[in-house]
Amino acid sequence: DARVTQTPRHKVTEMGQEVTMRCQPILGHNTVFWYRQTMMQGLELLAYFRNRAPLDDSGMPKDRFSAEMPDATLATLKIQPSEPRDSAVYFCASGLLSTGLGEQYFGPGTRLTVT
Amino acid sequence: KNQVEQSPQSLIILEGKNCTLQCNYTVSPFSNLRWYKQDTGRGPVSLTIMTFSENTKSNGRYTATLDADTKQSSLHITASQLSDSASYICVNSGGYQKVTFGTGTKLQVIP
């Protein structure tokens, strides 16, 4: 049963600290997405990769957020420095673009709280 | 501006009853329209995906419809179960995997 995995599941940190969230996409998938979900805004696309190359990160605050795919089995989302307004659930999703319809499979999310 | 609006914002129904959730979208260009179910504390799970040429698609007790002319979609749930309690999110995709999410309808099924 292939699944997207994310670590950590929960993270509480103080304002100003660096936060790194990790995602392992489903093996063989060639697209990876990072989303942020809050009660007020719902789900927002932050960035996505295809074949490990960043295609769009226009939804991401560039001054503090960075997303990378060091290899095909790992995607990272880093926030430095973190701020209380970054508190949200961060989801990673992966998909296989060749299917044409772009089905995305979501991980369980990382719940981030910045105090 | 691309928008996906869902209604109602929340809904409570009795177990066994049917319900219909609505989604209006303005995304252009249009690639596909998806419905996701999100249980509390979990990631969204895909229910249906439709291209602009499809007007209905079913997944068990879930049936989605699409009217590309009016840019409206609906998700009909038949014979609701307690496990249907969740948020249902309508998602419109443009080209290159650009996605616009609705804010969701929170459904609560009560015994």
Side-chain angles (χ1 to χ4, degrees):
Chain A
D1 185 21
R3 297 184 186 186
V4 175
T5 58
Q6 291 185 246
T7 57
R9 292 295 311 278
H10 303 272
K11 176 71 175 179
V12 179
T13 190
E14 292 183 347
M15 181 174 62
Q17 297 297 307
E18 177 179 299
V19 175
T20 299
M21 290 168 273
R22 294 177 173 79
C23 167
Q24 182 173 10
I26 293 174
L27 189 65
H29 281 185
N30 60 359
T31 54
V32 173
F33 305 82
W34 282 106
Y35 295 94
R36 175 172 62 186
Q37 186 175 40
T38 62
M39 289 293 290
M40 295 299 295
Q41 298 292 333
L43 270 163
E44 303 172 277
L45 177 65
L46 296 176
Y48 72 92
F49 295 77
R50 186 166 68 200
N51 296 324
R52 294 178 54 202
L55 284 192
D56 187 352
D57 60 1
S58 58
M60 203 164 65
K62 302 288 191 310
D63 56 338
R64 298 183 299 107
F65 284 60
S66 62
E68 296 179 347
M69 276 202 77
D71 61 61
T73 65
L74 176 65
T76 62
L77 180 65
K78 188 175 296 185
I79 307 174
Q80 168 63 24
S82 58
E83 298 181 0
R85 58 179 169 153
D86 300 329
S87 297
V89 181
Y90 290 82
F91 287 103
C92 172
S94 72
L96 186 60
L97 190 61
S98 62
T99 63
L101 291 180
E103 176 64 273
Q104 297 179 29
Y105 298 85
F106 283 76
T110 293
R111 182 175 293 277
L112 174 65
T113 302
V114 183
T115 61
Chain B
K1 178 182 178 182
N2 290 334
Q3 288 186 345
V4 177
E5 297 180 350
Q6 292 188 244
S7 62
Q9 196 171 22
S10 62
L11 181 64
I12 300 175
I13 63 172
L14 290 174
E15 184 181 13
K17 297 297 185 182
N18 304 336
C19 67
T20 300
L21 314 181
Q22 301 291 343
C23 173
N24 296 338
Y25 63 91
T26 60
V27 173
S28 178
F30 175 82
S31 175
N32 58 69
L33 191 292
R34 319 174 194 186
W35 283 93
Y36 284 89
K37 177 187 179 188
Q38 185 175 21
D39 293 313
T40 302
R42 312 284 289 271
V45 174
S46 179
L47 293 176
T48 63
I49 302 178
M50 290 182 291
T51 65
F52 68 91
S53 62
E54 299 175 290
N55 55 28
T56 187
K57 182 162 282 189
S58 292
N59 178 0
R61 294 179 297 101
Y62 301 101
T63 299
T65 64
L66 176 65
D67 185 333
D69 292 331
T70 61
K71 292 186 171 60
Q72 294 180 328
S73 177
S74 65
L75 181 69
H76 186 74
I77 304 175
T78 303
S80 61
Q81 300 176 359
L82 298 179
S83 59
D84 293 331
S85 297
S87 288
Y88 292 84
I89 302 171
C90 174
V91 184
N92 194 301
S93 291
Y96 292 100
Q97 300 276 20
K98 294 289 284 188
V99 293
T100 304
F101 288 83
T103 53
T105 292
K106 188 168 185 177
L107 174 66
Q108 185 177 357
V109 181
I110 59 176

